Amino acid sequence: MHPAIQGILTIVIGVGACVAYFYFSNQFLDKVLFPAKGKHAGRNINRANMIRPWLFLFPALFALSVYLAYPVLETLRLSLTDRRLDGAFVGLDNYRQMVTEPKFWEAMRNNMLWLFVVPAMSTAFGLLVAQLTDRIKWGNIAKSLIFMPMAISFVGAAVIWKLVYDARPPGTEQIGVLNALYVWFSGNDPQQWLTVPFWNNFFLMVVLIWIQTGFAMVILSAALRGIPEDTIEAAIIDGANPFQIFFKIKVPQIKSTIMVVWTTITLVVLKVFDIVFAMTNGQWETQVLANYMYDKLFRSFDWGVGSASAIVIMLLVTPILVWNVRNVRREMR
């Protein structure tokens, strides 16, 4: 069967099953379990209304349990056992082995470096672009162009930037933009930028900053438009210059939105994998935690240490995720 037809059939069957579930479960609740008739009609209606939200939430809760809760518990179990010993319980041995490996600490160090640079730069560029594009006529066109990388997958973006960093032998024409400029201005031989330790991490970070700036710009632009005009007009009347209006009037009023954008990008950074995998595969001191986990699970087949590293990533992500959700709820109130 043609893949397109399979896709359409999957959508039709999935949507049809959802509609059928909601319709028949509602009918069963109202007609069979708690019918709205007889001497207990009022009590039945109240009970049906109490159960109905949980009935509708059940598919989502079931899917979350199967695809989220179960994998977490299974990963935790694997991190405390050894498959080479028929799944024997080994306590924290996998964690002890993990912290003795230099590659793990290289991954931790690089992840921390990504955490310091990428959220800060993406949010700063997004805020700058949001402020500048709101003041020009062709701002919407500029926003569209800057937001466009969000539509590209991380692997696709990695391929594009590998071409930017591409290096051809000395004396031949350079097709990589960076090396073309470097050779043109310096006259030196082209560089293999992704193999230069420490600095190659920044060349990888540029890709994620390029993608996430569009996301930050859209959210912060909406926040800037929501600032009451009277506060800005009052500042102008008091003699504030544009920098004072921006840093002392606008930024404080959208501070909570900036933090939401910052933490959301932080979550993306903690899980970064595709860009590193596609561009360097963790070589030349560019290893990150997600790539380290992949190497252990699917190359070394060391499920214990691989699962332990997955638990470490989850522990790093969870506090930021909880804080972000609570902050968003406070914003909605």
Side-chain angles (χ1 to χ4, degrees):
M1 185 182 293
H2 194 278
I5 298 175
Q6 283 184 335
I8 293 171
L9 279 176
T10 304
I11 294 172
V12 170
I13 292 172
V15 173
C18 291
V19 172
Y21 168 77
F22 289 120
Y23 176 77
F24 288 112
S25 62
N26 206 35
Q27 290 295 314
F28 178 76
L29 187 67
D30 289 336
K31 306 293 184 186
V32 179
L33 202 57
F34 297 112
K37 59 185 179 182
K39 61 179 181 180
H40 300 302
R43 187 183 66 183
N44 286 348
I45 291 173
N46 289 335
R47 288 181 176 177
N49 288 336
M50 288 174 63
I51 293 175
R52 201 182 318 278
W54 294 104
L55 195 67
F56 288 176
L57 283 173
F58 173 75
L61 294 175
F62 179 74
L64 280 174
S65 301
V66 172
Y67 294 107
L68 190 63
Y70 170 71
V72 169
L73 295 175
E74 182 63 10
T75 304
L76 180 62
R77 187 188 69 80
L78 287 172
S79 72
L80 301 173
T81 58
D82 191 337
R83 294 185 78 189
R84 291 167 295 189
L85 302 175
D86 294 330
F89 180 75
V90 294
L92 298 177
D93 285 358
N94 291 319
Y95 292 89
R96 292 192 191 93
Q97 180 186 336
M98 182 178 66
V99 297
T100 60
E101 294 186 4
K103 271 292 181 182
F104 170 73
W105 291 110
E106 178 190 314
M108 283 291 286
R109 186 178 63 248
N110 287 337
N111 262 92
M112 293 303 112
L113 191 61
W114 280 70
L115 276 180
F116 279 116
V117 176
V118 175
M121 297 301 291
S122 300
T123 308
F125 283 137
L127 182 59
L128 181 66
V129 172
Q131 172 65 16
L132 293 179
T133 52
D134 280 342
R135 300 171 65 90
I136 55 179
K137 289 182 180 178
W138 46 276
N140 288 334
I141 298 174
K143 283 181 181 176
S144 301
L145 294 174
I146 294 167
F147 186 74
M148 203 172 289
M150 281 291 292
I152 303 172
S153 69
F154 283 2
V155 175
V159 171
I160 291 171
W161 280 89
K162 277 192 84 171
L163 289 174
V164 173
Y165 299 141
D166 185 75
R168 293 300 169 94
T172 60
E173 188 174 358
Q174 299 298 317
I175 63 169
V177 175
L178 190 58
N179 265 316
L181 294 172
Y182 177 73
V183 172
W184 175 268
F185 285 108
S186 69
N188 296 328
D189 290 341
Q191 298 290 319
Q192 294 285 351
W193 302 106
L194 296 178
T195 65
V196 182
F198 184 70
W199 298 108
N200 50 8
N201 285 292
F202 292 95
F203 291 125
L204 297 180
M205 291 176 204
V206 167
V207 183
L208 193 53
I209 293 171
W210 180 64
I211 295 172
Q212 292 297 320
T213 296
F215 162 74
M217 175 199 67
V218 170
I219 304 296
L220 295 173
S221 177
L224 286 171
R225 288 175 183 270
I227 296 175
E229 286 292 329
D230 51 354
T231 60
I232 299 172
E233 290 170 0
I236 294 172
I237 292 171
D238 288 341
N241 60 43
F243 286 99
Q244 289 174 321
I245 292 173
F246 180 70
F247 287 107
K248 295 186 177 180
I249 304 296
K250 292 184 176 180
V251 171
Q253 292 192 64
I254 63 169
K255 188 170 62 177
S256 57
T257 307
I258 292 174
M259 291 307 297
V260 169
V261 171
W262 188 301
T263 51
T264 303
I265 298 174
T266 299
L267 292 174
V268 176
V269 170
L270 281 170
K271 298 180 292 183
V272 67
F273 167 75
D274 320 53
I275 294 171
V276 176
F277 183 78
M279 296 185 77
T280 63
N281 198 17
Q283 300 178 85
W284 308 295
E285 301 181 15
T286 59
Q287 187 73 294
V288 290
L289 281 173
N291 205 65
Y292 172 82
M293 177 191 71
Y294 178 86
D295 284 346
K296 287 295 178 185
L297 284 173
F298 303 111
R299 289 197 174 117
S300 303
F301 298 106
D302 190 343
W303 287 68
V305 175
S307 301
S309 58
I311 293 295
V312 170
I313 295 173
M314 190 189 71
L315 291 176
L316 291 173
V317 169
T318 302
I320 303 171
L321 185 64
V322 171
W323 185 89
N324 210 6
V325 170
R326 293 182 63 179
N327 204 35
V328 169
R329 283 183 175 176
R330 191 164 54 241
E331 284 281 308
M332 290 174 68
R333 293 193 195 107

